Amino acid sequence: MNLSSDQQIRAWFGGAKRILMVTGAGFSTGSGISDYRSPGGIWERYQPVPIQKFFVSHEARMRYWQYKVETREEFAGAAPNAAHRSLVELQSDGRLLGVLTQNVDGLHQKAGISEERVIEFHGSNARVGCLDCGEEAGWDHALKQWESENRPPTCHACGGWLKPRTISFGQEIPISWMERASQWARSCDFCVVVGTSLSVAPASEYPRLAHQMGARVLILNRTPISGVQWADRIVFGEAEERLPRWIRDSVSGPD
Ligand SMILES: [Zn+2]
């Protein structure tokens, strides 16, 4: 029997029991969050501040917070889109193993994915914490200091530097996250990569690992990606248009 590409993918979704999602910027552009790396993206407007610079330079801390405060609105106001919501259906269906995301917007959890099913490889912009004692400080506290004193905010408990809980360049990703991600990659039967060009490690490594362990791999991205000939299928399109259709059919049965 010859199935069309779309029918085939629906069948894959329908037959999968342990689905691992790997999501990147393209998953959230439908929610109005900029893609950092594309033309006009955040890294064209702001220069990233590596963590080592943040620690030693007042100027770098000022520049970093300036950028965080200016881009905050975009994050604070964003709502999950149809693609985020469709993953919640998979979760309710008991077939979502986990979500590995490069996004820092917290929209997977906002949509209703439980905290323990999400690994945020680049951290989270939804929270602010102390780099010294780990104290959770909150955006309100940090913003108040930034605005009233015009300086990088500090921890009320120990005086250390506060920073959103994103992983900056040069900042280490906790080993425990990578262990869990690798466990998911080894045990999934279907790995679905959406909205990422798989150019940034370590998130980029898990779909390949899943493939090597025998899982089927589907990639959905807006633009072509190089070096992924091993994937079972590559589809070009928008996350919020394709994904909900594929998933809805697999959850409630095809029309
Ligand atoms: Zn502290």
Side-chain angles (χ1 to χ4, degrees):
M1 184 170 62
N2 254 333
L3 293 176
S4 76
S5 173
D6 230 43
Q7 283 171 322
Q8 177 72 80
I9 291 168
R10 285 171 206 206
W12 287 347
F13 268 101
K17 302 216 160 31
R18 297 178 308 280
I19 302 175
L20 173 62
M21 297 296 308
V22 178
T23 70
F27 210 94
S28 290
T29 44
S31 292
I33 307 263
S34 308
D35 181 351
Y36 284 46
R37 283 162 207 284
S38 63
I42 286 172
W43 293 144
E44 264 185 17
R45 287 182 278 145
Y46 302 93
Q47 223 190 347
V49 175
I51 192 71
Q52 292 83 354
K53 272 236 165 112
F54 184 93
F55 275 119
V56 299
S57 154
H58 174 75
E59 186 276 328
R61 285 190 292 274
M62 288 297 283
R63 197 150 46 82
Y64 177 84
W65 270 101
Q66 187 75 43
Y67 139 65
K68 280 297 176 182
V69 170
E70 281 176 18
T71 51
R72 160 118 180 105
E73 282 290 291
E74 193 172 287
F75 284 102
N81 63 54
H84 293 102
R85 291 192 297 272
S86 66
L87 298 194
V88 180
E89 292 179 43
L90 279 183
Q91 178 179 252
S92 311
D93 214 22
R95 298 189 294 131
L96 182 67
L97 187 61
V99 181
L100 302 181
T101 187
Q102 295 173 311
N103 298 340
V104 296
D105 51 42
L107 290 179
H108 286 300
Q109 296 95 319
K110 223 175 182 178
I113 301 295
S114 62
E115 208 52 70
E116 70 271 13
R117 288 204 191 278
V118 183
I119 298 176
E120 295 170 298
F121 266 120
H122 297 175
S124 171
N125 205 48
R127 293 180 293 127
V128 175
C130 174
L131 289 174
D132 282 347
C133 73
E135 177 88 355
E136 202 67 35
W139 267 98
D140 290 348
H141 172 73
L143 282 177
K144 217 194 271 173
Q145 277 193 54
W146 171 259
E147 278 155 17
S148 61
E149 300 168 38
N150 191 32
R151 64 171 177 83
T154 50
C155 174
H156 64 90
C158 78
W161 298 117
L162 294 182
K163 192 174 122 4
R165 297 245 191 235
T166 47
I167 304 282
S168 293
F169 288 91
Q171 214 172 350
E172 274 178 25
I173 294 174
I175 299 276
S176 62
W177 297 5
M178 296 202 267
E179 284 173 350
R180 195 147 52 104
S182 138
Q183 207 177 40
W184 284 349
R186 287 167 191 280
S187 56
C188 68
D189 59 359
F190 191 25
C191 176
V192 184
V193 180
V194 183
T196 165
S197 55
L198 291 180
S199 58
V200 186
S204 59
E205 294 163 8
Y206 298 102
R208 183 67 192 260
L209 175 60
H211 160 75
Q212 285 164 347
M213 298 304 290
R216 192 163 267 142
V217 179
L218 165 68
I219 297 176
L220 168 62
N221 199 47
R222 180 180 299 162
T223 51
I225 306 175
S226 56
V228 289
Q229 308 82 345
W230 45 269
D232 293 275
R233 188 67 56 87
I234 301 169
V235 177
F236 302 120
E238 304 292 335
E240 68 277 14
E241 286 167 18
R242 302 293 184 106
L243 203 56
R245 274 208 330 255
W246 292 333
I247 290 179
R248 196 179 316 122
D249 287 351
S250 85
V251 171
S252 59
D255 298 336

